[in-house]
Each structure stands twice: as C-alpha cells, then as structure tokens.
Amino acid sequence: TLFHWMLRKGIIKEIPVWPKIKGNNANTRVALTVSQQEEALVHIPNDHQAPIEFGMETGLRPGETCALKVKDINVVDKSALIRRRLYEGKFVESTKGGTQLPIPLSPRAFQIIRDNIKNKHPEAFVFINPDTGRHYTVKKLNQVWREHSKTDVDYYSASRHSFCTQIIETGINVLQAQQLMRH
C-alpha cells in the first residue's frame, strides 16, 4: 500500500520488484468457529476443561494462561492483568510483547475465573493441573487438546488464533483486536 501511494504521488517511478524468499517455515494457522470449539470441548475431560476454555474465551497465549495468578484478577472490573508467561518451563515476569495490560473478561471467562479462584491465596495459580497439583504447563494443555479434542487443529490455533478471527468477524476494528490480543 505504501509503495502504491508513493507511485501515485510521484515519489517513485515504479513499484520495486521483491526477491522471492525461498522456503516457508511459518506454521499454517487455521481458525475454528465457536460451534467447532464447543464440539471439541465436549471431548476434553471435565477436570482439564477450564484452562482450555478460558484460552478460547480470552485469546491468551497458552503460556499466559498457565502463569495467571489469583492476584492478577480484578473481580470488580471483571478483568485480568496479563503480566507473566510460562516460557520454556520457566516463568518470565513479562509478556511476549513486554507489556502488562489488563484484558476484559467475557461473562463465561469471568465465571471460569470465579470457579477457579475460590478460597485461593493471591499468589496461587488460577489453573491447577489435577494430575500434578501444580500449575499447568503449555505442554500439558497441548497434550490434553491433542489427545481429546478430536480435531487436527493445534491448541494455539483453536484458542488464540480462533479468538482473534472470531472477534474480527463480529466487526471489531482491527486495531481494537490488536489491543485485545496484546500484539
């Protein structure tokens, strides 16, 4: 678009020819519809549904879902402050983009949070893996999704990418979607 504008304004005489880039190491991402997500969730064991569904409701990166603590939740504003992530098995006290921003919680996301923070200390993780009694890991979320969802779509695409696609389809402004995704 920039080069077409520059051509129209006479700043450049022709649009440059870009070299072909060999190889494509990008993962192809697909999006699920809400009904496809719901159908897949039915197959997820009940004791592992909460963090997976929460990821679908919020568009959080799986590592951010795993790192969410009770103290990050604002029950009055119905929001969650995203300030850390689980990355390569270690907690990093910043997000991928280096920001600490609150996200609004949908009614369903807020209900999931309320169910998972009852009687917990502020430093406790919101989502506890019932198999280990510790916080979830990205590997575990991916494993549960892969083994039970009955879909070929990976968990990242089924949650984060699908969330973004769905909110764009509702007519939300692309910049607002970018903000909600903290991208």
Side-chain angles (χ1 to χ4, degrees):
T1 304
L2 172 67
F3 287 103
H4 285 282
W5 176 82
M6 293 171 72
L7 182 66
R8 281 194 315 273
K9 293 288 186 183
I11 298 169
I12 59 175
K13 296 197 184 301
E14 61 184 46
I15 296 176
V17 177
W18 301 102
K20 298 262 184 206
I21 298 174
K22 294 180 182 173
N24 181 0
N25 63 353
N27 294 333
T28 302
R29 300 285 186 200
V30 295
L32 297 179
T33 63
V34 172
S35 60
Q36 289 171 319
Q37 287 176 321
E38 290 170 349
E39 186 178 318
L41 273 172
V42 168
H43 302 291
I44 303 297
N46 288 340
D47 53 350
H48 294 292
Q49 278 185 1
I52 289 175
E53 185 176 5
F54 187 78
M56 292 176 172
E57 283 288 323
T58 60
L60 288 181
R61 294 174 180 93
E64 294 168 342
T65 299
C66 294
L68 197 60
K69 290 187 174 184
V70 174
K71 70 180 181 181
D72 301 327
I73 307 303
N74 184 328
V75 293
V76 174
D77 291 344
K78 296 184 179 179
S79 65
L81 181 61
I82 310 306
R83 60 171 121 202
R84 82 186 62 70
R85 62 193 162 118
L86 184 60
Y87 178 70
E88 295 182 353
K90 296 181 180 163
F91 289 101
V92 178
E93 290 297 321
S94 71
T95 61
K96 184 177 178 184
T99 59
Q100 293 189 2
L101 297 171
I103 60 165
L105 298 176
S106 69
R108 180 63 188 134
F110 186 66
Q111 181 63 49
I112 293 168
I113 286 293
R114 282 194 14 214
D115 293 345
N116 282 274
I117 65 172
K118 286 179 187 168
N119 303 319
K120 285 186 179 175
H121 188 274
E123 286 294 328
F125 290 100
V126 171
F127 300 109
I128 302 297
N129 179 346
D131 299 339
T132 63
R134 301 182 68 220
H135 63 80
Y136 272 90
T137 63
V138 174
K139 182 178 178 180
K140 181 64 175 182
L141 291 177
N142 289 331
Q143 174 195 4
V144 169
W145 179 259
R146 187 176 54 256
E147 290 177 5
H148 300 284
S149 70
K150 298 187 187 268
T151 176
D152 292 334
V153 177
D154 64 87
Y155 175 61
Y156 187 92
S157 294
S159 59
R160 185 167 172 80
H161 192 246
S162 295
F163 173 82
C164 188
T165 301
Q166 291 165 10
I167 61 174
I168 292 289
E169 288 174 349
T170 66
I172 192 172
N173 170 314
V174 175
L175 293 175
Q176 290 171 317
Q178 183 180 7
Q179 286 177 320
L180 283 173
M181 301 300 292
R182 296 154 343 279
H183 203 282

